Amino acid sequence: MNNEKPYVPIEHRPLLGVTEAEALTGIPAKIIRANIRSGRLAARMADSTTMRIRRTDLDEWLDLLPAWHA
């Protein structure tokens, strides 16, 4: 019996950890955590210590980031 979890690429996962969100977006984890603490990015607790970000919340937060103008 195979007890290994099936591999799902991060771009297809509905929930992401902070490091996965960092890998997907290129935004440093410390900025992602700061936005979670400030309430600008929603996160959920999967248990007492595991924070997860819904992909939909991450996408909405990315859409709200200000545009850069030269």
Side-chain angles (χ1 to χ4, degrees):
M1 182 190 226
N2 187 353
N3 290 333
E4 290 185 32
K5 293 180 184 178
Y7 175 74
V8 178
I10 62 173
E11 65 268 16
H12 297 297
R13 295 180 193 171
L15 294 173
L16 301 170
V18 172
T19 55
E20 293 168 326
E22 176 185 37
L24 186 63
T25 64
I27 297 173
K30 67 180 185 177
I31 292 174
I32 294 170
R33 285 188 187 96
N35 278 268
I36 291 169
R37 278 192 303 275
S38 71
R40 289 187 292 266
L41 174 57
R44 309 287 192 270
M45 295 304 289
D47 59 35
S48 63
T49 60
T50 306
M51 184 176 11
R52 293 287 181 250
I53 303 162
R54 288 190 316 179
R55 183 62 193 274
T56 55
D57 291 331
L58 182 64
D59 290 339
E60 288 174 14
W61 176 70
L62 291 171
D63 288 341
L64 294 174
L65 293 176
W68 181 79
H69 299 285

